[in-house]
């Protein structure tokens, strides 16, 4: 297995599929769909090879590593690798992309050739971000993932799709420029000069630079990642993009693209710039609480089901930021074994929430698409009594609503639990995050009441329940949401060694 370039196969197979789709006449829709299903399915199967071949006991070691000189003159390498942070995100990306392809024929009926080709390009960009260990490669894939989503929203989106697509593009591009400047500062301060993320983490090229320089570089990375999360006040692009995006686009946007931001904070900001992270830990914690409480309150006020799920994502990503803030806080507390353990727990919660949110919110957007294809609206005030007419749909919606509000025994509970518990040991005011949990429970229960309880309106009496294609796109997410909820070690054993490594890198810089 070590001789097989598994990461490269996973990374570039979608491009092969995209080329085949582009070579297929647009009239051959079935063949185009076949290529899309075949290649996204193949990537999913290969990503499961990563899961079963991964060794959690190899503490702090990048696995399935590939390293080739790309531009030796500038120290740029084709360097790929995964650890317990990136591997689950690669598998999640492959899963949600494949399920999006399974669902897409239900909703996409025009320009299908371009749609599926762009989706495969998007998959390569997303996976590349999670497995690239060279900053130039990381930046290239970061930008690659931006372009297909812009077109997916702009061509197949809702009535205001052009506005939403341009807003998404400009926000993300602004962050990308700031990140590029920070990458260049790290490169020109390294010795020997390199863009390799692992070597830069070992070198700590800015460790002796003035703290103001470190802080500015940290802010450059943070701006790119915070816009992607999105962190308040950079969140305003998200509801527009979600509401206007096609269903599968919303699944990928919430399930994967938001995680690129939080992944960057854990992969780059914390280990590469630990002293600057300590400067901003309080700001991170405050913004995390704003995300949680503000996002939840605004979600409660929504009548558009899709916009409600979009704002709920802002709240859920706040729990990721809560854990990141706890890990960023430095000081002599690092010498305390209990505090180090709390930091690891907080990061476990942050990473767990990334995965769980992808499963749950991806499913919720698929469910929004199912009802929209029948009702052609998403107004919660116009629904009612749907459970009697669509029992399978109602049961699946309630299941994922319970997961979203953090019901114990489902995936959503553990991320919030670890994040709040670990963060509370570092800064007690993190306990205010429980307000967000209460508000989340309130608006999801209210949503269930408005949609599924009460008397069924006459206009909905002819609605068919979910068909086989729609169910196939959701049942894998049901199984995984339940499985990781009732048996958390299946995911925790992979995540924890990587989080311990992040904390160890930060400790080494501070002399502990």
């Amino acid at each position: 297995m070590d001789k097989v370039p598994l990461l490269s196969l996973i990374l570039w197979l979608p491009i092969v599929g995209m080329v085949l789709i582009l070579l297929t006449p647009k009239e051959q829709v079935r063949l185009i769909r076949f290529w899309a299903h075949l290649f996204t399915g193949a990537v999913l199967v290969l990503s499961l090879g990563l899961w079963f071949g991964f060794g959690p006991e190899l503490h702090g070691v990048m696995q399935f590593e590939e390293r080739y000189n790309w531009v030796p003159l500038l120290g740029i390498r084709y360097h790929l690798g995964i650890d317990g942070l990136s591997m689950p995100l690669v598998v999640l990306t492959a899963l949600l992309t494949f399920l999006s392809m399974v669902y897409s024929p239900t909703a996409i009926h025009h320009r299908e050739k371009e749609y599926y080709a762009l989706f495969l390009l998007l998959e390569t960009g997303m996976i590349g971000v999670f497995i690239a260990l060279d900053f130039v490669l990381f930046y290239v894939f970061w930008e690659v993932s931006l372009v297909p989503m812009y077109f997916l929203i702009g061509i197949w989106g809702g009535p205001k799709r052009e506005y939403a697509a341009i807003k998404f593009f400009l926000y993300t591009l602004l962050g990308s420029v700031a990140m590029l400047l920070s990458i260049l500062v790290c490169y020109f301060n390294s010795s020997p000069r390199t863009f390799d993320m692992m070597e830069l983490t070992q070198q700590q090229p800015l460790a002796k630079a003035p703290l103001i320089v470190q802080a500015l570089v940290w802010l450059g990375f943070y701006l790119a990642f915070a816009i992607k999360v999105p962190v308040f006040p950079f969140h305003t692009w998200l509801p527009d993009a979600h509401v206007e995006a096609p269903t599968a686009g919303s699944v990928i946007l919430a399930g994967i693209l938001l995680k690129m931001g939080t992944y960057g904070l854990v992969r780059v900001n914390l280990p590469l710039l630990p002293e600057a992270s300590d400067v901003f830990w309080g700001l991170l914690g405050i913004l995390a609480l704003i995300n949680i409480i503000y996002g939840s309150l605004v979600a409660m006020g929504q009548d558009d089901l899709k916009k409600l799920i979009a704002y709920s994502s802002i709240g859920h990503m706040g729990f990721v930021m809560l854990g990141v803030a706890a890990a960023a806080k430095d000081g002599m507390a690092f010498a305390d074994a209990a505090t180090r353990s709390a930091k690891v727990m907080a990061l476990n919660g942050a990473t767990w929430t990334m995965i769980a949110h992808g499963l749950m919110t991806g499913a919720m957007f698929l469910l929004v698409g199912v009802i929209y294809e029948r009702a052609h609206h998403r107004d919660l005030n116009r629904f009612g009594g749907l459970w009697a007419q669509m029992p399978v749909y109602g049961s699946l919606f309630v299941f994922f609503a319970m997961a979203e509000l953090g019901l114990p025994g489902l995936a959503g509970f553990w991320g919030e639990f670890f994040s709040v518990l670990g963060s509370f040991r570092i800064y007690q005011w993190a306990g205010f995050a429980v307000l967000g949990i209460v508000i989340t429970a309130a608006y999801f229960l209210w949503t269930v009441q408005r949609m599924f309880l009460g008397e069924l309106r006459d206009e909905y009496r002819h609605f068919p329940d979910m068909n086989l294609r729609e169910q196939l796109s959701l049942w894998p997410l049901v199984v995984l949401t339940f499985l990781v909820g009732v048996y958390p070690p299946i995911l925790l054993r992979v995540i924890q060694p990587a989080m311990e490594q992040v904390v160890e890198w930060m400790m080494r810089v501070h002399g502990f």
Side-chain angles (χ1 to χ4, degrees):
M1 195 69 162
D2 292 338
K3 296 180 180 179
V4 177
L6 192 55
L7 291 181
S8 286
L9 284 173
I10 291 171
L11 179 62
W12 298 113
L13 264 180
I15 298 298
V16 177
M18 182 188 75
V19 171
L20 288 173
I21 288 173
L22 292 176
L23 293 175
T24 303
K26 64 181 180 180
E27 294 81 11
Q28 298 183 22
V29 175
R30 288 190 176 182
L31 183 57
I32 289 170
R33 292 175 180 173
F34 171 78
W35 290 132
H37 285 75
L38 176 66
F39 281 92
T40 55
V43 170
L44 176 58
V45 171
L46 290 174
S47 72
L48 294 178
L50 295 180
W51 181 275
F52 291 109
F54 188 80
E57 70 282 355
L58 300 176
H59 184 84
V61 176
M62 286 291 170
Q63 300 181 43
F64 298 93
E65 202 167 4
E66 300 175 33
R67 192 197 308 257
Y68 309 101
N69 287 329
W70 182 17
V71 187
L73 183 64
L74 298 177
I76 302 173
R77 296 171 180 167
Y78 178 82
H79 187 189
L80 310 177
I82 57 168
D83 61 0
L85 170 62
S86 53
M87 188 273 288
L89 291 169
V90 172
V91 177
L92 180 67
T93 302
L95 174 64
L96 289 183
T97 304
F98 176 69
L99 295 180
S100 295
M101 294 297 94
V102 171
Y103 176 84
S104 287
T106 301
I108 303 299
H109 306 293
H110 73 287
R111 302 188 68 174
E112 294 187 52
K113 178 177 179 175
E114 295 92 335
Y115 174 85
Y116 290 108
L118 286 168
F119 230 102
L120 288 168
L121 178 61
L122 177 60
E123 182 175 29
T124 286
M126 294 184 297
I127 291 175
V129 167
F130 295 133
I131 66 176
L133 296 179
D134 182 279
F135 265 127
V136 172
L137 205 59
F138 178 86
Y139 185 79
V140 167
F141 287 122
W142 184 276
E143 294 298 286
V144 165
S145 66
L146 169 63
V147 177
M149 183 55 72
Y150 167 79
F151 286 111
L152 286 170
I153 297 172
I155 297 174
W156 293 274
K160 299 180 180 178
R161 55 186 179 272
E162 292 90 352
Y163 169 77
I166 291 172
K167 191 173 182 180
F168 162 76
F169 191 94
L170 291 178
Y171 265 71
T172 308
L173 186 63
L174 172 65
S176 298
V177 172
M179 178 169 65
L180 180 59
L181 293 174
S182 293
I183 290 171
L184 292 175
V185 172
C186 292
Y187 171 75
F188 285 114
N189 281 275
S190 60
S191 181
R193 287 182 177 174
T194 181
F195 286 103
D196 192 284
M197 296 164 73
M198 296 298 100
E199 289 188 16
L200 288 170
T201 300
Q202 293 294 330
Q203 280 190 29
Q204 291 293 313
L206 298 177
K208 296 182 180 179
L211 190 56
I212 184 65
V213 174
Q214 297 183 47
L216 289 173
V217 173
W218 188 96
L219 285 171
F221 284 119
Y222 174 78
L223 182 61
F225 301 144
I227 288 173
K228 209 75 163 182
V229 172
V231 179
F232 180 90
F234 306 113
H235 66 286
T236 58
W237 65 266
L238 181 66
D240 293 316
H242 269 312
V243 169
E244 301 305 325
T247 297
S250 293
V251 171
I252 296 301
L253 191 60
I256 305 301
L257 291 183
L258 306 190
K259 314 308 180 297
M260 288 165 52
T262 48
Y263 169 82
L265 290 170
V266 179
R267 173 68 77 212
V268 178
N269 285 61
L270 293 183
L272 185 60
L273 297 157
E275 293 183 61
S277 297
D278 179 44
V279 171
F280 294 105
W281 80 266
L283 177 63
L284 287 175
I286 292 170
L287 292 177
L289 290 177
I290 292 174
N291 257 49
I292 292 169
I293 298 172
Y294 166 80
S296 301
L297 285 173
V298 176
M300 179 177 279
Q302 301 305 312
D303 293 325
D304 185 312
L305 178 58
K306 204 173 188 183
K307 189 170 284 190
L308 182 148
I309 304 301
Y311 275 107
S312 78
S313 295
I314 295 173
H316 281 106
M317 297 310 288
F319 285 97
V320 181
M321 298 302 300
L322 200 71
V324 171
K329 189 176 187 299
D330 181 33
M332 291 304 293
F334 258 133
D336 181 353
T339 303
R340 292 201 300 270
S341 177
K343 289 175 179 289
V344 172
M345 182 179 293
L347 284 177
N348 284 342
T351 307
W352 186 291
T353 302
M354 292 186 217
I355 308 302
H357 180 263
L359 296 173
M360 301 181 304
T361 306
M364 290 299 285
F365 278 114
L366 286 172
L367 289 165
V368 172
V370 169
I371 197 64
Y372 182 77
E373 291 303 316
R374 289 157 173 77
H376 303 293
H377 73 83
R378 298 182 297 262
D379 188 348
L380 290 170
N381 296 318
R382 294 171 59 187
F383 290 120
L386 285 178
W387 210 338
Q389 181 67 24
M390 305 172 66
V392 175
Y393 178 80
S395 299
L396 289 176
F397 192 100
V398 171
F399 174 84
F400 284 108
M402 295 301 107
E404 290 266 20
L405 61 82
L407 185 71
L410 299 177
F413 169 76
W414 293 107
E416 295 174 358
F417 179 75
F418 291 141
S419 184
V420 174
L421 190 62
S423 301
F424 187 79
R425 175 66 176 81
I426 309 299
Y427 54 107
Q428 284 66 43
W429 46 272
F432 286 110
V434 298
L435 294 173
I437 298 175
V438 174
I439 299 169
T440 300
Y443 69 73
F444 269 114
L445 291 174
W446 190 28
T447 299
V448 169
Q449 178 187 359
R450 288 194 282 176
M451 288 188 68
F452 299 104
L453 304 182
E455 185 177 351
L456 178 65
R457 298 190 181 193
D458 291 337
E459 60 187 296
Y460 304 136
R461 293 189 185 277
H462 67 283
F463 279 10
D465 208 342
M466 295 179 67
N467 59 39
L468 180 60
R469 178 183 296 278
E470 292 166 340
Q471 291 192 48
L472 287 175
S473 67
L474 278 160
W475 277 107
L477 301 177
V478 172
V479 172
L480 290 173
T481 299
F482 180 75
L483 181 61
V484 300
V486 297
Y487 189 64
I490 195 172
L491 189 55
L492 198 59
R493 71 181 185 88
V494 173
I495 294 172
Q496 181 151 330
M499 300 305 102
E500 290 173 349
Q501 182 61 54
V502 172
V503 173
E504 285 179 14
W505 275 328
M506 299 177 74
M507 288 170 58
R508 178 175 56 80
V509 172
H510 292 287
F512 295 113

